[in-house]
């Protein structure tokens, strides 16, 4: 009689564990979505960082962009460089005639 009680208790424990694991597998939380925000900075911003930010892949550009993003509450910069016309058309008062006058772009991410 004791053996059948022990087997029943063992089966009940296995069943409870299986049910608990199945419930956990179905209740996984979705991954947090990546948040990105792009900032436009006038090319004549006065900080003297335009040369760094306009050189693709530069170490100083990455440092400046990361610092900018951290100051804005983001983790790091995803990309940086000269903004394309479609990124700022309608947001500046005067037409931009020279590429060197185009705003700078820093895209920050969490």
């Amino acid at each position: 009689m004791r053996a059948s009680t022990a087997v029943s208790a063992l089966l009940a424990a296995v069943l409870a564990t299986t049910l608990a694991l199945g419930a956990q597998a179905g209740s996984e939380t979705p991954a947090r979505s990546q948040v990105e925000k792009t900032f436009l900075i006038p090319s004549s911003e006065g900080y003297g960082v335009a040369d760094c930010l306009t050189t693709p892949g530069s170490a100083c550009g990455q440092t400046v962009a990361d610092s900018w993003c951290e100051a804005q509450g983001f983790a790091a910069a995803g990309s940086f460089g000269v903004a394309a016309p479609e990124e700022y058309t309608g947001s500046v008062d005067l037409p931009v005639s020279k590429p060197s006058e185009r705003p700078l772009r820093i895209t920050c991410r969490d």
Side-chain angles (χ1 to χ4, degrees):
M1 185 80 157
R2 289 184 183 174
S4 65
T5 305
V7 170
S8 296
L10 179 61
L11 289 175
V14 169
L15 180 60
T17 303
T18 303
L19 291 175
L21 290 175
Q24 287 177 353
S27 65
E28 292 178 15
T29 57
R32 184 173 171 222
S33 63
Q34 182 83 11
V35 177
E36 286 190 346
K37 184 172 182 178
T38 299
F39 296 91
L40 296 177
I41 305 162
S43 58
S44 59
E45 87 298 322
Y47 295 112
V49 297
D51 289 338
C52 284
L53 292 173
T54 57
T55 305
S58 72
C60 73
Q62 188 66 51
T63 302
V64 168
D66 285 342
S67 297
W68 176 274
C69 292
E70 289 171 12
Q72 306 303 318
F74 289 87
S79 64
F80 60 90
V82 178
E86 58 271 7
E87 292 180 297
Y88 63 86
T89 301
S91 64
V92 292
D93 296 334
L94 301 172
V96 178
S97 57
K98 297 182 214 171
S100 62
E101 295 176 355
R102 291 182 8 205
L104 305 171
R105 169 194 49 78
I106 299 175
T107 301
C108 302
R109 57 182 161 74
D110 276 341

